[in-house]
Amino acid sequence: MTVLSVLCLCFFAYSQGFILDGKKFPFQDTNLSWEKRVDDLVNRLTLQEHTEQMAIGSGSTPDIKRLGIGHYSWWSNCGRGAVGNEATSFPCGVAQAAAWDSDLLFRVARASAIETRAWNNIWTSQNKYGTHKGLSCFSPNMDIHRDPRWGRNPETWGEDPYFGGVYAERFVKGIQGDDPKYLLTSASCKHYTTSGGPENIPVSRMGFNANVTERDLRTTFLPGYKKCVDAGSYSVLCAYNRVNGVPACADKYLLTDILRKEWKFKGYVVADCGAMENMVKKHHYFKNYEEVAAAGLKSGMNLNCQTSKDNAYLSIADAVNHGKVSMDLVKDMAKPLWMTRMRLGEFDPPEHNKYRKISHSSIQTQAHRDLAVEAAMKSYVLLKNKDHFLPLNKKHKYNTIAIVGPQGDNINDQSGGYSPRVMAKYATSIKDGLAQLGHTTHTVNGCKDGTPCTKYDSHAILNAVQHAEIVFVALGLEYLKMPSRHFNIQTRIILDTHGFEGSYFDGNKLEHESKDRADIKLPGHQLTILQDAIKHSPHNAKVVLLMMSTAPFDIEEFDRNDKVAAIIELFYPAQATGTALHRLIVHQNPGDVFSGKLPFTWMTELKKVPPMVDYSMKERTYRYITYQPLYPFGYGLSYTTFHYFHLSMDTDVQAGHDVKGFFVLENTGPLDADEISQVYIKWVKPRVETPRIQLVDFSRRHFPKHTRQTIHFTIKAENMAVWVDNSGWEIDPGTIEVFVGGQQPGQHKSISSNILHGSFKITGSKKLGKY
């Protein structure tokens, strides 16, 4: 045999998958580049194999035995722990936002990813696959908290797009790990885009069309997604709704023109579960699934989150065979999927990937449990503290206290939705945290049917409060809780597709995916519980209102009521609820001081809020409202006081350059505490519509009592830009005002600290283009 014959035979064997130098296929060869490995893999797959791999993104993606490729689990959620598994449970998204701490968010994301990887190592060792068993996290949620009634507000990072972008950058870095070669888990920015309600009131999200101007799209709905993509997210998840008439998951303008061309996104787009099928069934935009498959591929949609039943992307093969899309396009759309799986380490020897060594011992570690306490403490927002009623004296024990209301002893509802399964041995309720304050503690639900509270037990409430020195009234909403053992995605898709949103959820939930609030009132008889606690407790007793929700209630009358000594927003704090609350209420340790700030505007009446289906930003969020809310965005009280002074910054800047500055901040009060500093700008005489004011920087710092620090800030050039239709982002010459403090400028309800004011002048102009 000649040398040439041997070489040809070796090449044939290599190309056909025979073992060569210990490597069965080139895509398994770790010496090759990622791109070459992916190219080799996709060129080995048949059209039917491509179809199944791109269609079945829910449950268990099929294996390909002839290539040694196993099953894969695409859909997991990792925003606040290893969702669907027993793991450390961190506060919900909007609670994390209330901490205004991007470093904390990074650490929560990293802990969540570590525990998600630990569970994946466990599941794969047992050859088990399915929802919430994989490493592809459908997180973070980049939607805007734009309407108080929207059911998915708990998952967001509040109402400000700049804030969401800062968090997105840190989250993606945290969840994807620090290894230069392998991903810890992979992120997915969702729900792209304009997915901010409605869920089911007044219409179903499955057929809803969001009419949004290009200005609002670019200035409110897209900025957070761009930051998420810029941070290196491997995926974007597209939404159920239409955007200006086109289904979001088949919108070439969104998925190709903006996402891939303007933002240079190289990852994969996954459709929310059932979104592709609803293009026929709900939107009536396409006639059949073959049309959906062709349009989805051409617009830039790579993966369908769906099972093998009733699946539009199973028609990919038909679309190719009928000439509607090419095989080359199918291969190109498959590449980001395989690149992600490779970077997660699926095809490499386990010993090459340090993340494959993460074990069950990494779940609920002491460090992670401590982090859960820290996150809850930093997220709680003190909205009222009349006459400095709090903190209570930790050395004093009251004769009798009462804890009333449906959230007082409820470790399930306090976790909220899209969280890990509750691990009771690590969870503390409000009762667990506060019962130790009294020699006698009466804990009463008051609602015979739980949080909906349609059946009120007035006798139990009156008995509980009649002798109490302090009454803690624990009210709020229930969020979806989906234990993995009860969750069936096919059931969800069938119900959602046919308009029965919420039917598959356990119990009569009040705020969750597929369920909007009809109003902002306390549900059922919860208002009566609060009124009776005030009326029937002793005249010298004090009432503390504790709320678990992620959007406003109409509580203005209780903000004015002198007997209500304190109001605290807890959001959904998860497993550390009671421990964190006790530490703050009694100032257990130095630094145990309320410090959270609202990441959304707390209004009191819906008549000032546009209909949820109206996607104009007028009268929405602090950036565009013209009225004074009860509690503004960025508002939150402390036990101590702060003073801002010595603002210094660049006063003249060439267009396209950043403005740098600093200020001095002093803790002038008696306790060690954290302070959240906020920097806002206001355009003076802009040529186009701009927000009323805009957050451009924030920081959270710890201050021992009577100490001061110099804090530096940067106003980036891109944050000075205005959107000019048909032209894109531009920086204009002119003056921009700057406000620095622990709150917004010009608030009707303000905290004790002051606001610093300055300005700078922009010389020249600069076009930044479209992004």
Side-chain angles (χ1 to χ4, degrees):
M1 183 177 292
T2 66
V3 173
L4 180 60
S5 299
V6 171
L7 291 175
C8 291
L9 181 60
C10 290
F11 176 78
F12 176 78
Y14 189 57
S15 64
Q16 295 302 309
F18 300 122
I19 294 175
L20 185 66
D21 293 334
K23 304 293 190 303
K24 188 175 183 182
F25 299 105
F27 71 81
Q28 297 170 322
D29 188 347
T30 58
N31 294 315
L32 296 178
S33 69
W34 295 114
E35 290 73 19
K36 288 182 178 179
R37 295 175 67 183
V38 169
D39 285 346
D40 175 73
L41 195 158
V42 298
N43 283 312
R44 293 182 182 278
L45 301 184
T46 66
L47 175 57
Q48 185 59 33
E49 287 169 339
H50 276 301
T51 297
E52 292 176 349
Q53 292 295 316
M54 299 171 72
I56 304 174
S58 174
S60 176
T61 298
D63 61 357
I64 305 174
K65 291 184 173 63
R66 68 183 184 85
L67 297 178
I69 297 173
H71 295 278
Y72 188 74
S73 305
W74 281 105
W75 178 15
S76 292
N77 291 86
C78 322
R80 44 184 304 221
V83 174
N85 298 284
E86 290 189 337
T88 309
S89 183
F90 298 100
C92 68
V94 79
Q96 296 172 24
W100 291 62
D101 189 337
S102 59
D103 175 68
L104 173 70
L105 180 82
F106 173 87
R107 290 182 285 130
V108 167
R110 181 59 54 85
S112 300
I114 287 171
E115 297 197 15
T116 297
R117 173 65 81 157
W119 271 111
N120 175 256
N121 289 339
I122 294 168
W123 293 128
T124 53
S125 71
Q126 299 173 4
N127 201 32
K128 294 181 179 179
Y129 301 89
T131 302
H132 294 151
K133 290 181 173 63
L135 298 171
S136 299
C137 299
F138 290 1
S139 310
N141 188 322
M142 298 307 305
D143 296 326
I144 294 293
H145 190 303
R146 71 178 192 98
D147 192 293
R149 297 159 291 195
W150 186 41
R152 301 195 75 170
N153 281 326
E155 302 170 47
T156 73
W157 285 326
E159 67 182 38
D160 184 77
Y162 166 80
F163 184 101
V166 172
Y167 260 38
E169 290 177 322
R170 297 296 286 157
F171 181 89
V172 172
K173 299 298 183 185
I175 205 166
Q176 294 192 165
D178 56 7
D179 189 276
K181 186 173 184 179
Y182 297 109
L183 296 171
L184 176 55
T185 61
S186 65
S188 184
C189 323
K190 68 181 184 185
H191 308 82
Y192 185 75
T193 182
T194 65
S195 175
E199 293 291 296
N200 69 322
I201 299 175
V203 296
S204 168
R205 62 182 176 165
M206 298 303 172
F208 175 65
N209 178 41
N211 286 309
V212 58
T213 66
E214 187 73 9
R215 180 179 304 283
D216 284 337
L217 184 69
R218 297 285 187 163
T219 60
T220 296
F221 297 105
L222 292 185
Y225 287 99
K226 183 177 187 300
K227 292 297 183 182
C228 191
V229 167
D230 288 347
S233 175
Y234 271 63
S235 171
V236 169
L237 184 148
C238 53
Y240 286 116
N241 53 276
R242 279 173 286 152
V243 182
N244 296 327
V246 182
C249 292
D251 191 330
K252 180 179 177 294
Y253 179 61
L254 293 175
L255 302 183
T256 297
D257 296 347
I258 294 178
L259 185 61
R260 289 188 167 87
K261 292 182 179 179
E262 291 184 18
W263 298 355
K264 312 302 181 186
F265 176 65
K266 302 298 183 183
Y268 68 92
V269 175
V270 53
D272 209 344
C273 304
M276 304 305 289
E277 292 69 34
N278 281 336
M279 293 180 192
V280 174
K281 297 182 177 183
K282 287 295 183 179
H283 294 292
H284 307 295
Y285 195 82
F286 296 108
K287 294 180 181 178
N288 55 58
Y289 285 171
E290 189 173 323
E291 289 185 3
V292 173
L297 291 173
K298 289 179 179 179
S299 65
M301 217 289 295
N302 307 78
L303 176 68
N304 192 17
C305 177
Q306 182 64 295
T307 64
S308 60
K309 299 178 181 179
D310 190 31
N311 188 318
Y313 255 34
L314 286 177
S315 296
I316 287 176
D318 291 337
V320 173
N321 291 330
H322 295 155
K324 294 181 179 179
V325 292
S326 69
M327 185 64 175
D328 285 342
L329 176 60
V330 171
K331 290 180 180 180
D332 285 343
M333 296 300 288
K335 287 179 180 180
L337 302 175
W338 294 108
M339 176 65 78
T340 303
R341 291 174 67 170
M342 283 189 181
R343 293 301 298 269
L344 287 165
E346 180 179 352
F347 305 115
D348 293 2
E351 61 271 17
H352 288 193
N353 185 352
K354 67 179 183 181
Y355 299 134
R356 295 289 291 273
K357 300 176 184 178
I358 297 175
S359 67
H360 190 274
S361 64
S362 298
I363 298 170
Q364 284 283 14
T365 63
Q366 186 62 55
H368 288 180
R369 296 199 299 272
D370 291 345
L371 181 60
V373 174
E374 178 190 350
M377 289 178 64
K378 286 184 172 180
S379 71
Y380 293 165
V381 181
L382 182 61
L383 298 173
K384 178 182 179 180
N385 191 22
K386 182 174 173 57
D387 299 327
H388 306 289
F389 175 70
L390 299 178
L392 302 178
N393 186 341
K394 65 182 178 183
K395 296 181 180 179
H396 176 73
K397 201 158 189 174
Y398 295 88
N399 289 327
T400 304
I401 69 168
I403 302 170
V404 300
Q407 303 294 3
D409 191 18
N410 191 338
I411 63 171
N412 289 306
D413 283 352
Q414 72 189 31
S415 286
Y418 284 111
S419 72
R421 289 169 54 183
V422 175
M423 300 183 72
K425 66 180 179 179
Y426 297 120
T428 57
S429 67
I430 289 174
K431 174 189 175 183
D432 295 329
L434 301 183
Q436 56 194 294
L437 298 178
H439 291 291
T440 301
T441 300
H442 299 293
T443 304
V444 173
N445 186 302
C447 305
K448 295 180 179 180
D449 57 343
T451 306
C453 207
T454 59
K455 301 175 182 179
Y456 177 45
D457 188 350
S458 61
H459 181 72
I461 294 294
L462 299 186
N463 282 342
V465 306
Q466 62 181 339
H467 300 301
E469 295 173 76
I470 302 179
V471 180
F472 295 96
V473 183
L475 308 178
L477 302 171
E478 287 176 301
Y479 191 90
L480 157 68
K481 185 60 189 170
M482 284 192 307
S484 58
R485 61 183 180 275
H486 296 313
F487 183 66
N488 183 295
I489 181 58
Q490 190 61 33
T491 301
R492 165 188 169 168
I493 293 167
I494 291 172
L495 290 169
D496 273 355
T497 302
H498 290 84
F500 301 110
E501 290 86 347
S503 303
Y504 56 89
F505 296 115
D506 182 24
N508 186 12
K509 307 301 182 184
L510 303 172
E511 176 188 45
H512 58 70
E513 180 179 358
S514 293
K515 177 69 173 179
D516 295 316
R517 298 165 64 189
D519 52 47
I520 58 173
K521 298 177 181 178
L522 287 163
H525 290 283
Q526 287 194 33
L527 176 63
T528 310
I529 293 176
L530 180 54
Q531 292 171 332
D532 283 350
I534 294 171
K535 180 179 179 181
H536 295 286
S537 59
H539 74 280
N540 59 343
K542 295 298 182 183
V543 173
V544 176
L545 174 57
L546 307 171
M547 293 175 291
M548 285 190 191
S549 68
T550 57
F553 288 122
D554 183 1
I555 57 167
E556 187 170 14
E557 66 175 288
F558 305 106
D559 182 74
R560 297 194 303 261
N561 190 301
D562 288 342
K563 196 169 182 179
V564 179
I567 299 176
I568 305 168
E569 174 59 49
L570 302 178
F571 307 100
Y572 297 111
Q575 69 181 47
T577 297
T579 300
L581 184 60
H582 176 262
R583 284 181 55 174
L584 290 173
I585 277 185
V586 302
H587 187 240
Q588 183 69 42
N589 305 302
D592 288 355
V593 173
F594 285 98
S595 56
K597 305 279 188 180
L598 286 178
F600 57 79
T601 301
W602 193 296
M603 68 287 292
T604 59
E605 50 187 349
L606 280 179
K607 69 180 182 181
K608 296 179 180 179
V609 181
M612 196 187 300
V613 295
D614 180 356
Y615 260 76
S616 166
M617 289 307 295
K618 292 181 180 179
E619 299 300 339
R620 292 194 188 277
T621 78
Y622 81 95
R623 301 164 72 224
Y624 295 104
I625 60 173
T626 58
Y627 60 87
Q628 287 286 351
L630 178 59
Y631 306 119
F633 172 87
Y635 175 85
L637 302 176
S638 173
Y639 292 156
T640 190
T641 57
F642 291 92
H643 185 72
Y644 290 77
F645 55 100
H646 292 333
L647 173 62
S648 177
M649 64 181 178
D650 301 329
T651 55
D652 291 281
V653 62
Q654 188 69 29
H657 292 266
D658 297 343
V659 166
K660 297 184 180 297
F662 66 87
F663 55 92
V664 178
L665 177 56
E666 182 177 359
N667 179 351
T668 55
L671 301 174
D672 301 351
D674 287 5
E675 169 67 338
I676 296 166
S677 303
Q678 304 163 41
V679 181
Y680 295 89
I681 63 171
K682 179 180 181 180
W683 289 263
V684 178
K685 297 181 179 179
R687 64 173 167 138
V688 297
E689 180 186 356
T690 64
R692 181 179 62 88
I693 57 171
Q694 175 61 60
L695 181 74
V696 291
D697 202 300
F698 65 90
S699 65
R700 182 182 184 118
R701 299 284 186 87
H702 182 72
F703 290 80
K705 60 184 177 182
H706 307 308
T707 63
R708 61 177 61 178
Q709 297 180 36
T710 298
I711 298 178
H712 294 264
F713 65 90
T714 299
I715 303 174
K716 294 182 179 180
E718 65 184 49
N719 293 326
M720 306 172 199
V722 297
W723 177 261
V724 180
D725 288 334
N726 302 318
S727 179
W729 292 99
E730 297 185 16
I731 300 175
D732 290 340
T735 299
I736 291 182
E737 293 184 88
V738 179
F739 304 90
V740 178
Q743 59 192 321
Q744 284 184 53
Q747 293 182 176
H748 173 70
K749 182 179 287 292
S750 62
I751 60 178
S752 59
S753 65
N754 59 313
I755 297 286
L756 301 177
H757 176 242
S759 65
F760 61 89
K761 183 178 180 181
I762 301 174
T763 302
S765 61
K766 187 174 181 65
K767 292 186 177 182
L768 303 181
K770 293 184 177 182
Y771 56 81

